[in-house]
Amino acid sequence: TPSMTIATDDTAILTQNGFVRDGYTFVGWSTSASGSVKYTDGASYTMGAASTTLYAVWSANDNKIVFNANGGSGTMNAQIIKTDASANLNDCEFERVGYVFAGWATSPTGNVIYTNGASYTMGANSEYTLYAIWTIADYKINYVLGGGTNNGNNPAGYDINDSTITL
């Protein structure tokens, strides 16, 4: 937005804002760097006896995180966080039979970056997706001998992830 020249005590319409800020919405002009809105976009302005600087006032946008089950099942609502704000992520509500939720990644095959409830700082994009990352559940098979004895040929138990299980 170019500077304006207005004579003392004259009134003019402020030039429409031409600035952009990713992740924010322009809400008006202030007379100080950290002040509140004094003039809306295109408002009428009466010039005083000296040059004046107007400062853009921005409002952080509400952006959302979409949670992807990434092979799991169930539903989970998106989480809304304002640009540049930090919040704790919602706990995973998805399920996957035979797997345990390990955390959230930014791609379907990525490494875990965020755990349940981890702090997340929102970027400027309107939408981000986090993908559930799953690890195989560790189940065990244990023998209950019912009064019998192990003749030494059988182990006390097996991991379900062993490639071959002989009972």
Side-chain angles (χ1 to χ4, degrees):
T1 303
S3 295
M4 295 180 67
T5 302
I6 306 171
T8 301
D9 295 330
D10 278 357
T11 300
I13 300 298
L14 293 174
T15 304
Q16 290 287 318
N17 174 44
F19 300 114
V20 294
R21 183 176 177 193
D22 289 340
Y24 289 82
T25 300
F26 175 76
V27 292
W29 299 103
S30 174
T31 55
S32 67
S34 59
S36 59
V37 173
K38 299 286 186 193
Y39 304 98
T40 58
D41 207 13
S44 179
Y45 179 83
T46 301
M47 181 56 88
S51 293
T52 300
T53 299
L54 296 180
Y55 299 85
V57 178
W58 302 95
S59 175
N61 293 343
D62 284 338
N63 302 326
K64 71 179 172 179
I65 301 171
V66 174
F67 298 97
N68 184 302
N70 199 23
S73 62
T75 60
M76 192 167 168
N77 291 331
Q79 186 172 355
I80 306 298
I81 304 172
K82 289 193 175 295
T83 300
D84 294 329
S86 294
N88 292 338
L89 291 172
N90 295 335
D91 287 342
C92 181
E93 297 176 17
F94 300 124
E95 295 179 351
R96 186 171 178 188
V97 175
Y99 291 82
V100 175
F101 174 74
W104 301 106
T106 55
S107 68
T109 58
N111 292 322
V112 171
I113 298 173
Y114 305 101
T115 57
N116 272 338
S119 180
Y120 182 92
T121 301
M122 181 56 77
N125 293 338
S126 62
E127 183 175 311
Y128 293 88
T129 301
L130 292 180
Y131 298 86
I133 300 298
W134 305 96
T135 57
I136 295 175
D138 185 24
Y139 297 105
K140 296 223 181 259
I141 298 173
N142 292 309
Y143 298 109
V144 177
L145 301 179
T149 60
N150 185 350
N151 63 8
N153 293 330
N154 293 316
Y158 289 97
D159 279 336
I160 197 71
N161 297 326
D162 290 344
S163 59
T164 303
I165 297 175
T166 305
L167 301 177

